């Protein structure tokens, strides 16, 4: 199979025996569950757009492994042009879903694993790179979605892996057999894990020699024996369970997904093991994955920002405030911030370079600057959207009230719906429902289910702000800057 | 004449690419009808040799990859609405 259609993707999920728990229950038909389905629709979009002539230029690529046409999400970047197209693809998908479309963690894991296994083999005489190429060919040929899983629960942040009271706070090897390894632990916050066919596991942080059982990277099918997931709940998630839920959701069709993925002694055959105690390469894998993922946010969050800016502009139109100069200026500011993020995503791509293995890596300093800005600008963009929207985005009655034909026993004899529609009308000629729709959309991104992706993921996804500052400090070369200043100021010492 | 049509990915188009393309297409169809020529527009595919390649890009960066397509003539690019007339006349010259 070359490229799956969106429908084929959804059907392929049904064939998996993925074990999902939510609200204390096992969810058997998770594909059609109203809380989960919007996140599946997002991943489906990555398949649908690859079939669309208007978008396939970004959505597809030619495989460096097989020469076949593949989905870009399974591609090894072959040039800085590929790196830029990745960012553009992510912006496009953000625009189409206004949510996290989940498939980039896998792409970032493929690229970092490809180059790290190559260098590990050179140092250790192992054969992980060939194994990984075989695995990635399987992923590309079957157009699979893969969860790139890095973050461990981590327990006490002040302690290393081996010093934790509970040794399972980081994924580790508990048994080595002739035919493979047995792993135990969990990965937290896993974006799109349930919607993925496969999981590609990496360590969270550098590993020292005494903790080498934590230096492990491998791939498993999402329905592997011993693996299960506990769904992460999102703000306002149960609105999706309400009858005829529509306006109140803000974004009925799309949404993100995170889950805790537990490995309760999962067996991994040798051909799917890509790091096994080579602790000296754990740091490289983490740094490369984080670099790619920090680049990613210069695309996906920008696409969501595009929709949010459009929504704020519509809210101003519907409120009748669109001609005010400060509103126009706020829209300019939102656009400026959003495009600044895009500039960072494009810049770290344009300055990318080939690794020893041949695929392209982003510029690490610029990617970290990109993500550092992402920890701030979406918050400012959403603050401005809330300013423009007005308080009604959080105080308006429900869709059921607007549609209610229950008569209120007062003099006018009007229904609840008539009252709500009367008092929440905006500019002349604008339907109250459309006004409510756009305000709910902003609410959803500002503090509803999509705030997970637009706000907190912008803060912590691909590493908390301090993680970027450490990288910026390392790469910033202050010593060279001091020499520049000395030269200009005429200081000789 | 067979024209292969290739879009860029459309991450941040500065104009409506589809309607601009539809405009070009309808003008060319009219032009060909008047002159008694045949003109066919189809989504560009690899392995086909086209008489012309129309590359519809959303911005001046024109990042659409076209190396994989074959055309007997140099590709005609569109990247903003003001270029529509030029694109039409370039294609008209090729039809003739
Ligand atoms: C919506 C969302 C989606 C995500 N998706 C994925 C995914 O798909 N795959 C994946 O692998 N991960 C994913 N993550 C995880 C993300 O990478 C982590 O949230 C991030 O690395 C921060 O880890 P944490 O959440 O455990 O916070 P913590 O590490 O607990 O950080 C909290 C604060 O404590 C500080 N801190 C922590 N440890 C130390 C220390 N030792 N010294 C000093 N300060 C410290 C941090 O700087 C921060 O300020 C996602 C996260 C979110 C929120």
């Amino acid at each position: 199979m070359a490229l799956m259609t969106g429908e084929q993707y959804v059907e392929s999920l049904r064939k998996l025996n993925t074990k999902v728990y939510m609200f204390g229950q096992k969810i058997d038909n998770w594909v059609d569950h109203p809380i989960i389905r919007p996140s599946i629709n997002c991943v489906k979009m990555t398949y649908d757009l690859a079939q669309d002539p208007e978008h396939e230029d970004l959505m597809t690529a030619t495989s460096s492994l097989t020469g076949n046409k593949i989905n870009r999400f399974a591609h090894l970047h072959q040039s800085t042009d590929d790196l830029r197209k990745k960012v553009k693809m992510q912006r496009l998908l953000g625009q189409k879903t206004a949510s996290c479309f989940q498939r980039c963690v896998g792409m970032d894991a493929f690229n970092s694993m490809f180059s790290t296994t190559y260098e590990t083999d050179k140092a250790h005489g192992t054969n992980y790179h060939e194994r990984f190429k075989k695995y990635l060919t399987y992923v590309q040929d079957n157009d699979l979605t893969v969860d790139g899983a890095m973050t461990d629960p981590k327990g006490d942040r002040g302690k290393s892996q081996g010093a934790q009271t509970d040794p399972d706070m980081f994924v580790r090897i508990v048994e080595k057999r002739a035919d493979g390894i047995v792993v135990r632990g969990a990965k937290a916050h896993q974006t799109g894990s349930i919607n993925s066919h496969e999981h590609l596991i990496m360590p969270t942080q550098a590993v020292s020699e005494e903790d080498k059982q934590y230096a492990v990277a491998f791939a498993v099918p999402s329905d592997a024996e011993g693996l299960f997931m506990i769904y992460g709940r999102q703000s306002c998630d149960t609105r999706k369970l309400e009858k005829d839920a529509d306006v109140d959701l803000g974004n009925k069709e799309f949404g993100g997904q995170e889950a805790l993925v537990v490995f309760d002694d999962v067996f991994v055959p040798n051909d799917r093991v890509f790091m096994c105690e080579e602790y000296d390469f754990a740091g490289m894998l983490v740094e490369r994955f984080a670099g790619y993922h920090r680049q990613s946010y210069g695309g996906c969050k920008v696409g969501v920002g595009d929709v949010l800016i459009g929504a704020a502009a519509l809210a101003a139109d519907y409120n009748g405030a669109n001609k005010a100069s400060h509103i126009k200026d706020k829209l300019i500011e939102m656009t400026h911030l959003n495009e600044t993020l895009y500039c960072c995503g494009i810049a770290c791509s344009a300055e990318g370079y080939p690794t020893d293995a041949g695929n392209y890596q982003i510029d690490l300093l610029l990617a970290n600057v990109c993500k550092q800005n992402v920890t701030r600008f979406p918050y400012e963009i959403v603050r401005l959207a809330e300013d423009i929207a007005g308080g009604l985005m959080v105080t308006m009655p429900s869709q059921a009230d607007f549609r209610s034909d229950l008569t209120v026993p007062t003099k006018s004899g009007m229904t609840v719906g008539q009252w709500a529609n009367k008092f929440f009308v905006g500019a002349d000629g604008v339907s109250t429902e459309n006004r409510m729709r756009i305000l709910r959309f902003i609410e959803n991104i500002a503090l509803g289910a999509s705030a997970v992706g637009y706000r907190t993921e912008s803060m912590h996804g691909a590493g908390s702000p301090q993680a970027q500052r450490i990288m910026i400090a390392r790469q910033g070369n202050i010593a060279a800057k001091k020499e520049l200043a000395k030269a200009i100021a005429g200081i000789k010492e | 004449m067979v024209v292969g049509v290739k879009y860029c990915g459309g991450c941040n188009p500065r104009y409506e690419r589809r309607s601009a393309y539809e405009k070009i297409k309808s003008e060319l169809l009219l032009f060909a009808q008047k002159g008694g020529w045949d003109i066919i527009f189809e989504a560009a595919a690899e392995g086909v040799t086209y008489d012309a390649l129309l590359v519809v890009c959303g911005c001046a960066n024109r990042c659409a990859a076209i190396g994989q397509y074959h055309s007997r003539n140099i590709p005609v690019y569109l990247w903003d609405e003001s270029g529509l007339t030029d694109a039409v006349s370039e294609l008209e010259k090729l039809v003739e």
Side-chain angles (χ1 to χ4, degrees), chain A residues 105 147-154 157-158 188-191 258 289 452 456-457 460-464 466:
Chain A
V105 276
D147 172 23
M150 178 161 277
T151 312
D152 293 280
K154 297 186 295 206
R157 271 64 175 159
H189 321 283
Q190 289 311 303
T191 294
E258 275 76 32
F289 173 82
V452 174
T456 316
E457 190 178 14
H460 289 293
S464 311
Q466 189 57 22

PDB file of all heavy atoms in Angstrom, chain A residues 105 147-154 157-158 188-191 258 289 452 456-457 460-464 466, ligand 1:
ATOM      1  N   VAL A 105       5.105  14.002  16.129  1.00  0.00           N
ATOM      2  CA  VAL A 105       6.044  13.380  17.085  1.00  0.00           C
ATOM      3  C   VAL A 105       6.721  12.165  16.458  1.00  0.00           C
ATOM      4  O   VAL A 105       7.915  11.919  16.656  1.00  0.00           O
ATOM      5  CB  VAL A 105       5.378  12.970  18.431  1.00  0.00           C
ATOM      6  CG1 VAL A 105       5.318  14.135  19.387  1.00  0.00           C
ATOM      7  CG2 VAL A 105       4.012  12.355  18.231  1.00  0.00           C
ATOM      8  N   ASP A 147       3.494   7.043  17.251  1.00  0.00           N
ATOM      9  CA  ASP A 147       3.689   7.961  18.376  1.00  0.00           C
ATOM     10  C   ASP A 147       5.171   7.984  18.748  1.00  0.00           C
ATOM     11  O   ASP A 147       5.724   6.947  19.122  1.00  0.00           O
ATOM     12  CB  ASP A 147       2.848   7.488  19.574  1.00  0.00           C
ATOM     13  CG  ASP A 147       3.162   8.287  20.839  1.00  0.00           C
ATOM     14  OD1 ASP A 147       3.664   9.423  20.713  1.00  0.00           O
ATOM     15  OD2 ASP A 147       2.905   7.774  21.939  1.00  0.00           O
ATOM     16  N   GLY A 148       5.791   9.138  18.628  1.00  0.00           N
ATOM     17  CA  GLY A 148       7.174   9.288  19.090  1.00  0.00           C
ATOM     18  C   GLY A 148       7.118   9.583  20.569  1.00  0.00           C
ATOM     19  O   GLY A 148       6.747  10.679  20.978  1.00  0.00           O
ATOM     20  N   ALA A 149       7.466   8.596  21.391  1.00  0.00           N
ATOM     21  CA  ALA A 149       7.212   8.706  22.835  1.00  0.00           C
ATOM     22  C   ALA A 149       8.507   8.934  23.597  1.00  0.00           C
ATOM     23  O   ALA A 149       9.383   8.066  23.613  1.00  0.00           O
ATOM     24  CB  ALA A 149       6.521   7.442  23.324  1.00  0.00           C
ATOM     25  N   MET A 150       8.608  10.087  24.211  1.00  0.00           N
ATOM     26  CA  MET A 150       9.831  10.429  24.926  1.00  0.00           C
ATOM     27  C   MET A 150       9.616  10.612  26.429  1.00  0.00           C
ATOM     28  O   MET A 150      10.362  10.067  27.237  1.00  0.00           O
ATOM     29  CB  MET A 150      10.442  11.709  24.338  1.00  0.00           C
ATOM     30  CG  MET A 150      11.687  12.163  25.040  1.00  0.00           C
ATOM     31  SD  MET A 150      12.677  13.296  24.077  1.00  0.00           S
ATOM     32  CE  MET A 150      13.594  12.173  23.045  1.00  0.00           C
ATOM     33  N   THR A 151       8.591  11.369  26.824  1.00  0.00           N
ATOM     34  CA  THR A 151       8.502  11.832  28.206  1.00  0.00           C
ATOM     35  C   THR A 151       8.083  10.740  29.191  1.00  0.00           C
ATOM     36  O   THR A 151       6.989  10.179  29.084  1.00  0.00           O
ATOM     37  CB  THR A 151       7.513  13.001  28.308  1.00  0.00           C
ATOM     38  OG1 THR A 151       7.813  13.940  27.288  1.00  0.00           O
ATOM     39  CG2 THR A 151       7.604  13.681  29.662  1.00  0.00           C
ATOM     40  N   ASP A 152       8.931  10.484  30.173  1.00  0.00           N
ATOM     41  CA  ASP A 152       8.600   9.544  31.247  1.00  0.00           C
ATOM     42  C   ASP A 152       7.874  10.282  32.365  1.00  0.00           C
ATOM     43  O   ASP A 152       7.964  11.514  32.456  1.00  0.00           O
ATOM     44  CB  ASP A 152       9.882   8.928  31.807  1.00  0.00           C
ATOM     45  CG  ASP A 152      10.575   8.027  30.807  1.00  0.00           C
ATOM     46  OD1 ASP A 152      10.151   6.877  30.658  1.00  0.00           O
ATOM     47  OD2 ASP A 152      11.534   8.486  30.153  1.00  0.00           O
ATOM     48  N   PRO A 153       7.211   9.563  33.247  1.00  0.00           N
ATOM     49  CA  PRO A 153       6.538  10.245  34.385  1.00  0.00           C
ATOM     50  C   PRO A 153       7.541  10.983  35.277  1.00  0.00           C
ATOM     51  O   PRO A 153       7.235  11.992  35.868  1.00  0.00           O
ATOM     52  CB  PRO A 153       5.860   9.099  35.130  1.00  0.00           C
ATOM     53  CG  PRO A 153       5.719   8.005  34.113  1.00  0.00           C
ATOM     54  CD  PRO A 153       6.900   8.136  33.193  1.00  0.00           C
ATOM     55  N   LYS A 154       8.724  10.491  35.443  1.00  0.00           N
ATOM     56  CA  LYS A 154       9.883  11.136  36.069  1.00  0.00           C
ATOM     57  C   LYS A 154       9.859  11.266  37.589  1.00  0.00           C
ATOM     58  O   LYS A 154      10.872  11.673  38.170  1.00  0.00           O
ATOM     59  CB  LYS A 154      10.147  12.527  35.449  1.00  0.00           C
ATOM     60  CG  LYS A 154      10.496  12.482  33.973  1.00  0.00           C
ATOM     61  CD  LYS A 154      10.887  13.835  33.433  1.00  0.00           C
ATOM     62  CE  LYS A 154       9.743  14.796  33.479  1.00  0.00           C
ATOM     63  NZ  LYS A 154       9.763  15.878  32.529  1.00  0.00           N
ATOM     64  N   ARG A 157      11.679  15.050  40.418  1.00  0.00           N
ATOM     65  CA  ARG A 157      12.503  15.729  39.402  1.00  0.00           C
ATOM     66  C   ARG A 157      13.922  16.001  39.883  1.00  0.00           C
ATOM     67  O   ARG A 157      14.807  16.279  39.072  1.00  0.00           O
ATOM     68  CB  ARG A 157      11.857  17.056  39.001  1.00  0.00           C
ATOM     69  CG  ARG A 157      10.860  16.988  37.847  1.00  0.00           C
ATOM     70  CD  ARG A 157       9.665  16.184  38.145  1.00  0.00           C
ATOM     71  NE  ARG A 157       8.683  16.239  37.046  1.00  0.00           N
ATOM     72  CZ  ARG A 157       7.750  15.360  36.855  1.00  0.00           C
ATOM     73  NH1 ARG A 157       7.674  14.295  37.653  1.00  0.00           N
ATOM     74  NH2 ARG A 157       6.880  15.483  35.882  1.00  0.00           N
ATOM     75  N   GLY A 158      14.119  15.967  41.176  1.00  0.00           N
ATOM     76  CA  GLY A 158      15.451  16.232  41.723  1.00  0.00           C
ATOM     77  C   GLY A 158      16.347  14.997  41.727  1.00  0.00           C
ATOM     78  O   GLY A 158      17.508  15.072  42.118  1.00  0.00           O
ATOM     79  N   ALA A 188       4.335   9.489  29.657  1.00  0.00           N
ATOM     80  CA  ALA A 188       3.226  10.378  30.008  1.00  0.00           C
ATOM     81  C   ALA A 188       2.981  11.390  28.894  1.00  0.00           C
ATOM     82  O   ALA A 188       3.848  11.590  28.037  1.00  0.00           O
ATOM     83  CB  ALA A 188       3.548  11.105  31.304  1.00  0.00           C
ATOM     84  N   HIS A 189       1.819  12.004  28.905  1.00  0.00           N
ATOM     85  CA  HIS A 189       1.432  13.089  27.972  1.00  0.00           C
ATOM     86  C   HIS A 189       1.484  12.660  26.501  1.00  0.00           C
ATOM     87  O   HIS A 189       1.783  13.505  25.640  1.00  0.00           O
ATOM     88  CB  HIS A 189       2.356  14.311  28.055  1.00  0.00           C
ATOM     89  CG  HIS A 189       2.842  14.741  29.394  1.00  0.00           C
ATOM     90  ND1 HIS A 189       2.055  15.420  30.278  1.00  0.00           N
ATOM     91  CD2 HIS A 189       4.071  14.652  29.979  1.00  0.00           C
ATOM     92  CE1 HIS A 189       2.778  15.729  31.354  1.00  0.00           C
ATOM     93  NE2 HIS A 189       3.985  15.264  31.198  1.00  0.00           N
ATOM     94  N   GLN A 190       1.274  11.410  26.170  1.00  0.00           N
ATOM     95  CA  GLN A 190       1.560  10.969  24.799  1.00  0.00           C
ATOM     96  C   GLN A 190       0.504  11.425  23.791  1.00  0.00           C
ATOM     97  O   GLN A 190      -0.618  10.924  23.743  1.00  0.00           O
ATOM     98  CB  GLN A 190       1.746   9.450  24.744  1.00  0.00           C
ATOM     99  CG  GLN A 190       3.041   9.013  25.390  1.00  0.00           C
ATOM    100  CD  GLN A 190       4.236   9.813  24.912  1.00  0.00           C
ATOM    101  OE1 GLN A 190       4.502   9.854  23.716  1.00  0.00           O
ATOM    102  NE2 GLN A 190       4.949  10.466  25.817  1.00  0.00           N
ATOM    103  N   THR A 191       0.920  12.373  22.964  1.00  0.00           N
ATOM    104  CA  THR A 191       0.046  12.949  21.948  1.00  0.00           C
ATOM    105  C   THR A 191      -0.313  11.910  20.894  1.00  0.00           C
ATOM    106  O   THR A 191       0.581  11.298  20.295  1.00  0.00           O
ATOM    107  CB  THR A 191       0.763  14.142  21.287  1.00  0.00           C
ATOM    108  OG1 THR A 191       0.927  15.150  22.278  1.00  0.00           O
ATOM    109  CG2 THR A 191      -0.028  14.696  20.127  1.00  0.00           C
ATOM    110  N   GLU A 258      -4.052  13.325  24.423  1.00  0.00           N
ATOM    111  CA  GLU A 258      -2.877  12.856  25.144  1.00  0.00           C
ATOM    112  C   GLU A 258      -3.286  11.700  26.048  1.00  0.00           C
ATOM    113  O   GLU A 258      -4.430  11.649  26.497  1.00  0.00           O
ATOM    114  CB  GLU A 258      -2.254  13.972  26.008  1.00  0.00           C
ATOM    115  CG  GLU A 258      -1.293  14.882  25.263  1.00  0.00           C
ATOM    116  CD  GLU A 258      -2.000  15.886  24.362  1.00  0.00           C
ATOM    117  OE1 GLU A 258      -3.119  16.304  24.720  1.00  0.00           O
ATOM    118  OE2 GLU A 258      -1.461  16.235  23.299  1.00  0.00           O
ATOM    119  N   PHE A 289      15.829  14.830  18.836  1.00  0.00           N
ATOM    120  CA  PHE A 289      14.356  14.800  18.797  1.00  0.00           C
ATOM    121  C   PHE A 289      13.800  16.151  19.250  1.00  0.00           C
ATOM    122  O   PHE A 289      12.923  16.736  18.603  1.00  0.00           O
ATOM    123  CB  PHE A 289      13.811  13.685  19.694  1.00  0.00           C
ATOM    124  CG  PHE A 289      12.308  13.726  19.821  1.00  0.00           C
ATOM    125  CD1 PHE A 289      11.494  13.182  18.848  1.00  0.00           C
ATOM    126  CD2 PHE A 289      11.707  14.352  20.918  1.00  0.00           C
ATOM    127  CE1 PHE A 289      10.106  13.243  18.952  1.00  0.00           C
ATOM    128  CE2 PHE A 289      10.330  14.429  21.025  1.00  0.00           C
ATOM    129  CZ  PHE A 289       9.528  13.864  20.041  1.00  0.00           C
ATOM    130  N   VAL A 452      -5.441  22.881  25.566  1.00  0.00           N
ATOM    131  CA  VAL A 452      -4.390  21.886  25.829  1.00  0.00           C
ATOM    132  C   VAL A 452      -3.305  22.012  24.767  1.00  0.00           C
ATOM    133  O   VAL A 452      -2.114  22.070  25.068  1.00  0.00           O
ATOM    134  CB  VAL A 452      -4.989  20.455  25.806  1.00  0.00           C
ATOM    135  CG1 VAL A 452      -3.887  19.407  25.919  1.00  0.00           C
ATOM    136  CG2 VAL A 452      -6.033  20.284  26.894  1.00  0.00           C
ATOM    137  N   THR A 456      -1.007  25.048  26.844  1.00  0.00           N
ATOM    138  CA  THR A 456      -0.069  24.296  27.698  1.00  0.00           C
ATOM    139  C   THR A 456       0.932  23.482  26.873  1.00  0.00           C
ATOM    140  O   THR A 456       2.086  23.316  27.264  1.00  0.00           O
ATOM    141  CB  THR A 456      -0.843  23.405  28.688  1.00  0.00           C
ATOM    142  OG1 THR A 456      -1.910  24.183  29.223  1.00  0.00           O
ATOM    143  CG2 THR A 456       0.041  22.923  29.811  1.00  0.00           C
ATOM    144  N   GLU A 457       0.483  22.977  25.732  1.00  0.00           N
ATOM    145  CA  GLU A 457       1.451  22.267  24.882  1.00  0.00           C
ATOM    146  C   GLU A 457       2.502  23.246  24.343  1.00  0.00           C
ATOM    147  O   GLU A 457       3.673  22.887  24.208  1.00  0.00           O
ATOM    148  CB  GLU A 457       0.740  21.552  23.732  1.00  0.00           C
ATOM    149  CG  GLU A 457       1.688  20.615  22.995  1.00  0.00           C
ATOM    150  CD  GLU A 457       1.032  19.850  21.869  1.00  0.00           C
ATOM    151  OE1 GLU A 457      -0.095  20.214  21.465  1.00  0.00           O
ATOM    152  OE2 GLU A 457       1.650  18.902  21.385  1.00  0.00           O
ATOM    153  N   HIS A 460       4.892  23.485  27.449  1.00  0.00           N
ATOM    154  CA  HIS A 460       5.708  22.335  27.883  1.00  0.00           C
ATOM    155  C   HIS A 460       6.073  21.350  26.782  1.00  0.00           C
ATOM    156  O   HIS A 460       7.059  20.610  26.922  1.00  0.00           O
ATOM    157  CB  HIS A 460       4.986  21.581  29.012  1.00  0.00           C
ATOM    158  CG  HIS A 460       4.974  22.334  30.306  1.00  0.00           C
ATOM    159  ND1 HIS A 460       6.118  22.571  31.030  1.00  0.00           N
ATOM    160  CD2 HIS A 460       3.955  22.921  30.984  1.00  0.00           C
ATOM    161  CE1 HIS A 460       5.806  23.272  32.116  1.00  0.00           C
ATOM    162  NE2 HIS A 460       4.508  23.500  32.106  1.00  0.00           N
ATOM    163  N   GLY A 461       5.255  21.260  25.741  1.00  0.00           N
ATOM    164  CA  GLY A 461       5.545  20.294  24.674  1.00  0.00           C
ATOM    165  C   GLY A 461       6.951  20.522  24.141  1.00  0.00           C
ATOM    166  O   GLY A 461       7.405  21.662  24.052  1.00  0.00           O
ATOM    167  N   ALA A 462       7.661  19.455  23.821  1.00  0.00           N
ATOM    168  CA  ALA A 462       9.057  19.515  23.350  1.00  0.00           C
ATOM    169  C   ALA A 462       9.973  20.131  24.402  1.00  0.00           C
ATOM    170  O   ALA A 462      11.067  20.601  24.088  1.00  0.00           O
ATOM    171  CB  ALA A 462       9.173  20.280  22.037  1.00  0.00           C
ATOM    172  N   GLY A 463       9.527  20.131  25.653  1.00  0.00           N
ATOM    173  CA  GLY A 463      10.370  20.627  26.741  1.00  0.00           C
ATOM    174  C   GLY A 463       9.899  21.955  27.285  1.00  0.00           C
ATOM    175  O   GLY A 463       9.488  22.833  26.533  1.00  0.00           O
ATOM    176  N   SER A 464       9.964  22.102  28.601  1.00  0.00           N
ATOM    177  CA  SER A 464       9.563  23.339  29.278  1.00  0.00           C
ATOM    178  C   SER A 464      10.532  24.464  28.893  1.00  0.00           C
ATOM    179  O   SER A 464      11.636  24.197  28.428  1.00  0.00           O
ATOM    180  CB  SER A 464       9.587  23.118  30.796  1.00  0.00           C
ATOM    181  OG  SER A 464       8.883  21.928  31.113  1.00  0.00           O
ATOM    182  N   GLN A 466      12.646  26.305  30.316  1.00  0.00           N
ATOM    183  CA  GLN A 466      14.022  26.290  30.816  1.00  0.00           C
ATOM    184  C   GLN A 466      14.913  25.363  29.984  1.00  0.00           C
ATOM    185  O   GLN A 466      16.110  25.621  29.807  1.00  0.00           O
ATOM    186  CB  GLN A 466      14.038  25.879  32.305  1.00  0.00           C
ATOM    187  CG  GLN A 466      15.370  26.037  33.003  1.00  0.00           C
ATOM    188  CD  GLN A 466      15.921  27.465  32.940  1.00  0.00           C
ATOM    189  OE1 GLN A 466      15.179  28.438  32.749  1.00  0.00           O
ATOM    190  NE2 GLN A 466      17.232  27.600  33.064  1.00  0.00           N
TER     191      GLN A 466
HETATM  192  C1  LIG C   1      -0.149  18.873  25.618  1.00  0.00           C
HETATM  193  C2  LIG C   1       1.154  18.171  25.739  1.00  0.00           C
HETATM  194  C3  LIG C   1       1.519  17.249  24.758  1.00  0.00           C
HETATM  195  C4  LIG C   1       2.712  16.534  24.885  1.00  0.00           C
HETATM  196  N1  LIG C   1       3.024  15.578  23.944  1.00  0.00           N
HETATM  197  C5  LIG C   1       4.109  14.789  24.131  1.00  0.00           C
HETATM  198  C6  LIG C   1       4.393  13.709  23.225  1.00  0.00           C
HETATM  199  O1  LIG C   1       3.681  13.474  22.269  1.00  0.00           O
HETATM  200  N2  LIG C   1       5.469  12.940  23.449  1.00  0.00           N
HETATM  201  C7  LIG C   1       6.277  13.153  24.504  1.00  0.00           C
HETATM  202  O2  LIG C   1       7.220  12.404  24.673  1.00  0.00           O
HETATM  203  N3  LIG C   1       6.036  14.149  25.397  1.00  0.00           N
HETATM  204  C8  LIG C   1       4.984  14.974  25.221  1.00  0.00           C
HETATM  205  N4  LIG C   1       4.735  16.007  26.111  1.00  0.00           N
HETATM  206  C9  LIG C   1       5.572  16.117  27.275  1.00  0.00           C
HETATM  207  C10 LIG C   1       6.474  17.333  27.377  1.00  0.00           C
HETATM  208  O3  LIG C   1       7.648  17.131  26.669  1.00  0.00           O
HETATM  209  C11 LIG C   1       6.708  17.577  28.875  1.00  0.00           C
HETATM  210  O4  LIG C   1       5.508  18.112  29.396  1.00  0.00           O
HETATM  211  C12 LIG C   1       7.864  18.505  29.172  1.00  0.00           C
HETATM  212  O5  LIG C   1       9.075  17.887  28.834  1.00  0.00           O
HETATM  213  C13 LIG C   1       7.869  18.915  30.632  1.00  0.00           C
HETATM  214  O6  LIG C   1       7.831  17.795  31.469  1.00  0.00           O
HETATM  215  P1  LIG C   1       6.755  17.717  32.632  1.00  0.00           P
HETATM  216  O7  LIG C   1       5.438  17.970  32.057  1.00  0.00           O
HETATM  217  O8  LIG C   1       6.996  16.452  33.328  1.00  0.00           O
HETATM  218  O9  LIG C   1       7.044  18.928  33.564  1.00  0.00           O
HETATM  219  P2  LIG C   1       8.193  19.047  34.629  1.00  0.00           P
HETATM  220  O10 LIG C   1       9.423  18.400  34.105  1.00  0.00           O
HETATM  221  O11 LIG C   1       7.701  18.586  35.939  1.00  0.00           O
HETATM  222  O12 LIG C   1       8.429  20.605  34.661  1.00  0.00           O
HETATM  223  C14 LIG C   1       7.717  21.503  35.502  1.00  0.00           C
HETATM  224  C15 LIG C   1       8.649  22.646  35.880  1.00  0.00           C
HETATM  225  O13 LIG C   1       9.710  22.149  36.678  1.00  0.00           O
HETATM  226  C16 LIG C   1      10.960  22.475  36.102  1.00  0.00           C
HETATM  227  N5  LIG C   1      11.879  21.321  36.341  1.00  0.00           N
HETATM  228  C17 LIG C   1      11.611  20.018  36.126  1.00  0.00           C
HETATM  229  N6  LIG C   1      12.671  19.266  36.452  1.00  0.00           N
HETATM  230  C18 LIG C   1      13.621  20.104  36.869  1.00  0.00           C
HETATM  231  C19 LIG C   1      14.954  19.928  37.324  1.00  0.00           C
HETATM  232  N7  LIG C   1      15.504  18.713  37.430  1.00  0.00           N
HETATM  233  N8  LIG C   1      15.655  21.031  37.639  1.00  0.00           N
HETATM  234  C20 LIG C   1      15.113  22.257  37.543  1.00  0.00           C
HETATM  235  N9  LIG C   1      13.863  22.486  37.127  1.00  0.00           N
HETATM  236  C21 LIG C   1      13.121  21.419  36.802  1.00  0.00           C
HETATM  237  C22 LIG C   1      10.694  22.699  34.638  1.00  0.00           C
HETATM  238  O14 LIG C   1      11.654  23.540  34.022  1.00  0.00           O
HETATM  239  C23 LIG C   1       9.307  23.333  34.699  1.00  0.00           C
HETATM  240  O15 LIG C   1       9.417  24.698  34.931  1.00  0.00           O
HETATM  241  C24 LIG C   1       3.564  16.768  25.983  1.00  0.00           C
HETATM  242  C25 LIG C   1       3.211  17.719  26.950  1.00  0.00           C
HETATM  243  C26 LIG C   1       2.024  18.417  26.833  1.00  0.00           C
HETATM  244  C27 LIG C   1       1.657  19.406  27.912  1.00  0.00           C
END
